[in-house]
Structure formats: C-alpha cells, structure tokens
Amino acid sequence: MSRLHLRTAGVLLGALGLVFATSTVANAASFSYGAYEGGGWGNWQQDPDGDIPGDAISACDVTADGWGIEVRLDIDRDGDIDRRISTRGHHSPYCSGWASGDLREGTPVRVYVVKVNGSTDYHPVAKDGTA
C-alpha cells in the first residue's frame, strides 16, 4: 500500500474515531453536525476530553466533490462570527485541528457548518449549544 493510501486510510479512521468519540461522550453538550446534503461535518467540544480542548470547533470534509467544510462559532448568538476553522486547501478526506479558546460556563453558542468553494458559501446549517 502506498504512503498516500496509508495516509488516506489513517485520516478516514481518525475521522470515524472522532465521530464515534464525539457522539458517545458523556457530555451531551458536545456534538457533531452534518453539512447540508452531506460531504462533511463540524464538531463542537464543550469541555476538554483527553487531547481535545474545550470550547472548541473542528471541521471534517470526507467527499472529494470540490467543496470544503468551514465551521463558524457565534459566541453569545449575537450574529457575529467569533471563531472559524476550515478544510480549505486540503484534499478530502481531511479533518482540521481544533480552534479553541476559554469561554465562561453557560455561554450560549451557535455552531454553523458551511460548504465552501473559493468565496462561495453553500447553505449554512446551524446548531445551538452552550460553553
């Protein structure tokens, strides 16, 4: 098996492990949320869990369709995007690292998962959570 195939398999296994980990975390306030019409998802991690920081977002793109995944965090749900993470510039399958920063407990957040291609955004979907 070539290095590319091994790397791709590793990224896919890591992505699947991340989905499993975030969907089975005892903390119900952490979640993964799929992009409109599939192709990837975004993650919100409320509290630290092992190597995953708290108050953090990440993005995963699993379909080589020309679209990337961007995750945007609106802290306080005031309409201003305060944090972003994206798979732009990476070949699918790819999961980003985590963008994090400490938030006051109980702070309302809105997590947007958006398909992106160049300067085009496609059908953002959102899910609310708390820090």
Side-chain angles (χ1 to χ4, degrees):
M1 200 179 256
S2 73
R3 281 187 184 263
L4 178 60
H5 287 138
L6 285 174
R7 182 172 180 228
T8 301
V11 169
L12 277 175
L13 287 173
L16 290 173
L18 181 61
V19 170
F20 179 76
T22 57
S23 65
T24 60
V25 171
N27 176 356
S30 296
F31 56 80
S32 293
Y33 199 61
Y36 182 74
E37 294 181 342
W41 62 86
N43 301 297
W44 163 251
Q45 183 67 33
Q46 182 187 43
D47 294 321
D49 185 17
D51 291 338
I52 302 172
D55 301 331
I57 55 173
S58 71
C60 288
D61 179 4
V62 295
T63 305
D65 58 2
W67 291 90
I69 301 294
E70 183 169 282
V71 177
R72 302 170 183 164
L73 183 65
D74 177 358
I75 300 168
D76 288 322
R77 299 184 204 147
D78 58 6
D80 292 328
I81 301 303
D82 302 288
R83 192 175 300 159
R84 295 172 192 259
I85 192 88
S86 175
T87 65
R88 289 176 198 261
H90 297 275
H91 294 287
S92 177
Y94 175 78
C95 288
S96 71
W98 292 90
S100 67
D102 194 32
L103 300 175
R104 184 182 73 257
E105 289 299 309
T107 299
V109 297
R110 180 165 291 140
V111 178
Y112 292 91
V113 181
V114 186
K115 285 186 165 181
V116 292
N117 185 342
S119 61
T120 303
D121 291 3
Y122 181 66
H123 206 294
V125 294
K127 184 167 180 170
D128 291 344
T130 57

